[in-house]
Amino acid sequence: MNSNGAIRIGFYICHCGTNIAGVIDVDAVAAYAASLPGVVLSRDYKYMCSDPGQDLIAQDIREQGLNRIVVASCSPLLHERTFRGAVERGGLNPFLVHMVNIREHGSWVHEDGGLATTKAMDLVRAAVRRVVHHIPLERSRVPVHPDVLVVGGGIAGIHAALTLAAAGKKVTLVEREPSIGGHMAQFDKTFPTLDCAACILTPKMTAVKAHPNITLWTYSEVTAVKGSVGNFTVTVKRKPRYIREDLCVGCLECIDACIYKDGKFADEFNLGLSKRKPIYVPFPQAVPAVPVVDPEHCVHLKTGKCKDLCVQICAERNAFDFDQQPEFIDITVGAVILATGFTTFDAKRIPYYGYGVYPNVYTALEAERLVNASGPTGGEIVLPDGRAPASVAIVHCVGSRDADYNRWCSRVCCMYSLKLAHLIQEHTKAEIYNFYIDMRSAGKSMEEFYNRVSEEGVHLIRGRVADIYPETANGKDGHIGRVIVQAEDTLIGRIRKIPVDMVILSVGLQPQDDAEDVRRMFNISCSAGGFFLERHPKLAPVNTFTDGIYLAGACQGPKDIPDAVAQAGAAAAEALALIDAGFVELEPNTAYVMEEECSGCKSCIPLCPYSAISFAEDVLKATINAVLCKGCGTCVASCPSASIRQHLFEDAQIFSEIEGLLTHA
Amino acid sequence: MLATEEAVEQMWGVTLDRLYDSEEGRRILSCIQCGTCAGTCPHGEHMQYPPRRIITMLKAGLIEEVFASDSLVMCVNCYACQSKCPRNIRLTEILLPLVKEQTIVRLPQMPPELQKAVENSYRYGNSQGESARKRALWTKTATVPIRILADDPRPVDALWFVESDLAFHPRGQDVARATARVFDALGADFAILGNEERTAGDCGRLSWEPGLSEALIDYTMSILKKYEFRRIVVSDPHAFDAFKYRYPMFGFDETVESTVSYVHRDLEKIRPRLKKRLEYTVTYHDSCCLGRHNKLFEEPRELLLAIPGIRLVEMVHTRENGLCCGGGGGGMWLDTYYKARGIERLSDRRVREALDTGADVLAIACPYEISRFEDAVKVAGAEGRLRVRDIMELLVESFGDA
Ligand SMILES: Cc1cc2nc3c(=O)[nH]c(=O)nc-3n(C[C@H](O)[C@H](O)[C@H](O)COP(=O)(O)OP(=O)(O)OC[C@H]3O[C@@H](n4cnc5c(N)ncnc54)[C@H](O)[C@@H]3O)c2cc1C
Ligand code: SF4
Ligand code: SF4
């Protein structure tokens, strides 16, 4: 404030090129603003957010003794930070500026320039009245805890954890399954280069296990999250595997020793295509290489009566602990990276594809296991009756691009379908028919890969499969008859009915079944299809609307391994930027209790969505933790004695703004 | 996908040149040319222009060429294409009838059987060409009393819309009598329009001049206005469909139920009457209107399973993916036309699927199917091996006292 304490408002209106000035008469608005009480200077400028535009404000403050600023331009979401910075550089408290949105709320949504100009004037008048009541505020800083939590140990989570660990940060990696690896661990080869999935993945998995900065908790899940950016308290549930990870050396002799001589229960990792014992590791390269005991089938755990051959063979290490209980551990971290991946579309939902009805109809993930040398058939592509197929149909877009199922393109299926075509042809010499709608091969080396598989003689038929039905009834001898795959070959305009021995359904990618629970727990948003929502689709693709929570991999949307890894790196970098800054600045738009007026009724406490309000037993008053408060205003509106107020939303500010709006020029 | 109420409203009055004025019509622009419609169409291989190509031709301004071909005479209005279309394009509800209408108008000669059916419907109110005065004759041989509203116009709970195939066809009449017995066993308060009834006119809209179906709809609505009733119960799925989707466009707003769901709702009331074991292996044919278009898949099966002794087996094409009997969309009167073009009757294909299941009874719930399937059973030389029975007939058979 200048020496005599008078309010001196500077007003600036932005043309935004023609974005605003093309519709709104900016000269007229500037002239109008100049006539308003308190406004001592009014300017228009082509781009207020540009450096010269900002300098203009800073300079005017210094030279003209301005003590309040109003900028009429775009949404504060985009440039409030910019103009607060400019004001600060001019030597004023940054909270003495107020923005008027005449673009998103004005020129972009109105066609009548005259009316839009009048509306802009109304909004400007309201802002000028409001800004008078602005007072200087201080941002508080909270320190950021340097540790990071990564949820999900697929390729994205693995890469993010390793990157952070390499930067010297302590990382806890929580994975729900007994081993890390995610979907990639199930593949044989990976498109477009056809490198062996295990060969490139397992070194990274072992590196996770070996890294001193990474705490790996598999068979574990996050059950609760408290706090906010810089200081999250996360509760992790560690499910009992009945074998102590610290004692087990991974010799796996216990599995051999188990009283079940052969596998008897559906093997989840092989999607039920093989059987496992009640004690198992999901796959040979599992990390950690510590077996899990399945309490539903283990005779000891079910009946207490077993010869316990497993325990005996482990006598020396003595790693068994059948008394293990679920353990709940709280950890504190400054940032979280969600890398919970995807699940595949349930092919049974499309009845006319016959999945679950005809034994020779497989999903692509099952096919991945079949071609994998460590899979249920040792890498042989065979039908349930043991024969190798002479003809195979690969059906693209199953559950994707479909208004009745998932609307989106799953992005990786075209390429993995070509990969499977190549691999199966290589293994069996079968005739392969890929039925596709559009071949999507965007991305580095993808089109070349498409070209390669085309030249290998795979039949590429452009048409979505409309029906799959048996050619003849299955023989009583267990012989599995062919099925007919029917589709219009749209390029020749004929209906094709191709009998094949085997069908592979290229199921799409969709959000994990519990994505909604995870979303709620971490207080982030989901996009329409249920994938986690990024803060900005182009400019903040790994951030969420909750500070300190980042996204990596297919949990944010379908993507291939290269993109998942790139995104994981970006998420790690964002987390590092946060941690290495050391602190976060909090917006001062928080609520505060007028202690003398609070009656201690406690009605606000349960209303706060962020649990920021507590009750001070000593003075019998409510108190608000400014670090947790997000400024939603719920408590302010609800307090029966009007004893909660909120910075930047003070009664005087809001009422003046409303009066300004309602007072016609 | 079922049409929503708004969609139904939007569909009315839509013509090809005004197609894109409505949201439902505009959806055609989203076609991805995947060919699912053509691939699933039971007559797809015989159409020069299956739905997918119709859409491209329309967009390219070449729709006259489509009219000039007889492709859409092959459409039996089975809803298969619409139900599988990944863009939910209202093929069977909007696009195809419009194209079909224009196609039929341009045919050098209207197929004679179809012509006859149209004329009969104009003249007699039924495609069979039977005297309107004989419509209620079947009630004389019914074993339970059947109230005719013209004679006794007191308010009634269920106005049973019998429709022509049940009223006139000898096998249809068997079903009508059986249905009456089931209603009686339910203790239902029901009555029929008798000789005042005329065909509801659904297939008319789809295969003949729209003027005819409008005249029939006007007529039926005016008759219905005379009486007080709580619901209309409809035996013929095509008429049921007409009342549900077509009639509301003319301001009709009564509660409509199919016979199947009406009986199913009170199944417990008749369950004690189902005493006689029927040791049959039964396969059920989903009528396109009841099944695919109105999603009545479980109810008919549950009625069958309520009968002691019955073993239910499914055909390869079932429920949502059922195969049309070929009678819809005017197909009922196009068998000769199709035959002349070397097209196998869909009913023959369907009966082969039924025979493949090893069933001895083919259960149905649509009167078109009785005559079509019984004939197809003969063609297949399977008489005595496979019997065609309406669900109502099987229920009555299980009453065991006939
Ligand atoms: C059949 C098929 C073949 C494919 N082939 C290729 C290919 O050849 N090349 C290619 O580039 N891409 C391919 N892809 C795509 C590839 O699978 C993905 O790009 C990749 O798996 C994404 O990795 P991710 O880590 O984001 O997710 P995921 O691999 O799904 O990993 C997510 C991990 O998070 C864990 N998790 C989930 N929820 C929780 C929770 N709440 N708490 C703790 N942990 C949790 C899961 O158990 C899992 O381990 C293919 C996809 C399919 C379906
Ligand atoms: S099924 Fe639908 S999207 Fe596909 S070609 Fe036919 S109308 Fe177009
Ligand atoms: S409604 Fe049936 S017969 Fe008509 S075009 Fe569609 S699938 Fe073919």
Side-chain angles (χ1 to χ4, degrees), chain A residues 571-585:
Chain A
E574 292 283 347
L576 283 174
L578 171 76
I579 292 168
D580 284 351
F583 61 86
V584 276
E585 279 199 331

Side-chain angles (χ1 to χ4, degrees), chain A residues 243-245 247-257 279-281 284 286 288-292 309-320:
Chain A
I243 293 172
R244 288 184 48 181
E245 275 182 48
L247 297 178
C248 171
V249 286
C251 69
L252 309 187
E253 280 174 26
C254 50
I255 300 178
D256 287 337
I279 180 167
Y280 66 101
V281 284
V290 179
V292 203
L309 298 177
C310 52
V311 181
Q312 289 169 27
I313 203 128
C314 192
E316 202 177 308
R317 304 286 316 169
N318 201 13
F320 276 80

